[in-house]
Amino acid sequence: MVQEEVAGSTRTLQWKCVESRVDSARLCYGRFILSPLMKGQADTIGIAMRRALLGEMEGTCITCATSDNVLHEYSTIAGIEESVHEILINLKEIVLRSNLYGVRDASICVRGPKYITAQDIISPPSVQIVDTTQHIANLTEPIDLCIELQINRDRGYYMKSTNDSHDGSYPIDIASMPVRNTNHSIHSYGNGNKKQEILFLEIWTNGSLTPKEALYEASRNLIDLLIPFLHAEEEDMGFEENENRWDLPPFQDIFTNLKKNKKGIPLTCIFIDQSELSSRTYNCLKRSNIHTLLDLLSHSQEDLTKMKYLSIEDVKKILDTLQKNFAINLPKEEFSF
């Protein structure tokens, strides 16, 4: 059915969301198609998008928790079912939605007995808790629990360092990965040179982004990474400058400059593939390790006639080119330049 929809389309690429659903507060699914693509293009786009979705996306998460009277991460607190370590793991699982940059503060201040969930977090207005039912801890006695939290936006996954724990402050593993999984598949149709492809892209997110939003952001990130190449100029490419590296103008310009002595271009920087010689003649010279004008001037006319696959007409063409553009004649006998 999808093939029928795109069969009559033009070469202009079109995308469409063919399926979208919310399985839970922390699991969204989307399936998209892009077509029509030429053979091989679907795999190129699919691989790039998958890497961008899994590795280049930013997410917001809790990165640190601070509480007084806590000796170490694996200690227990009277009146709380969970250990400090278990509470930190539960805080790590909380999914946040935000466009903030930089560190923001949040807190939990409750009195038991109480079943603490993400809904009890006092967060900045710019931060939205995706699933407020996420469990944090269970207070079984009438005690006070106050936890200061730090919220940050980042990308990827970073393991916390145990050396960073001090004064009741405990870093939390950063898991800023809004895309849980992604997959791409390809459907080909047509025959011969008219063969085309349809790219199917599946995206699962944790609810902080919809699959459509994730697709948009990943595409934008890929474009941002490639923009510098669109503005690259030859003089800005950062090549190492030395006496043997030259920008190569057209061959006729080189001849003109040499005749007028405007540029002292080394002979090693004038390559025979810039000349008006035929491709067959060029390949014959290349097989004999002749790549530059200096290499060519190191041979005599007799040397050229002995080269394999190089005819008398080819030799004459080479000699005419040297005479016409450089006023140079190769010696008839063996000669060392």
Side-chain angles (χ1 to χ4, degrees), residues 69-76 83-85 88 165 168 170:
N69 303 321
V70 177
L71 297 178
H72 54 79
E73 180 180 340
Y74 298 98
S75 61
T76 58
S83 66
V84 174
H85 178 68
L88 294 177
S165 302
Y170 298 94

Side-chain angles (χ1 to χ4, degrees), residues 15 17 19-22 25 28-32 49 52-54 56-59 95-99 128 130 153 178-180 201-222:
W15 75 277
C17 179
E19 185 178 358
S20 178
R21 66 173 186 265
V22 178
C28 300
Y29 172 80
R31 190 165 182 252
F32 308 87
M49 287 300 299
L53 285 164
L54 293 177
E56 298 294 331
M57 302 291 292
E58 292 185 341
V95 178
L96 304 175
R97 178 185 174 95
S98 175
N99 291 322
Q128 176 187 348
V130 173
R153 183 178 177 86
V179 176
R180 287 190 168 188
L201 192 63
E202 296 178 288
I203 303 173
W204 291 263
T205 68
N206 64 359
S208 62
L209 291 176
T210 66
K212 184 177 178 180
E213 289 172 332
L215 183 65
Y216 171 79
E217 186 171 333
S219 302
R220 186 183 60 188
N221 290 342
L222 274 179

Side-chain angles (χ1 to χ4, degrees), residues 213-281:
E213 289 172 332
L215 183 65
Y216 171 79
E217 186 171 333
S219 302
R220 186 183 60 188
N221 290 342
L222 274 179
I223 294 172
D224 290 343
L225 288 174
L226 297 175
I227 279 179
F229 292 113
L230 300 178
H231 302 291
E233 299 290 342
E234 271 192 48
E235 60 269 21
D236 298 328
M237 291 301 288
F239 289 132
E240 181 182 354
E241 295 184 3
N242 55 63
E243 60 180 4
N244 293 323
R245 185 180 292 278
W246 291 74
D247 292 330
L248 299 176
F251 208 44
Q252 293 297 329
D253 293 344
I254 294 177
F255 295 151
T256 302
N257 290 327
L258 283 173
K259 287 179 179 180
K260 295 180 179 180
N261 294 322
K262 287 185 176 180
K263 290 186 179 180
I265 302 178
L267 299 181
T268 55
C269 294
I270 304 176
F271 294 87
I272 60 172
D273 60 353
Q274 296 173 273
S275 68
E276 54 202 36
L277 299 174
S278 66
S279 58
R280 192 181 69 84
T281 303

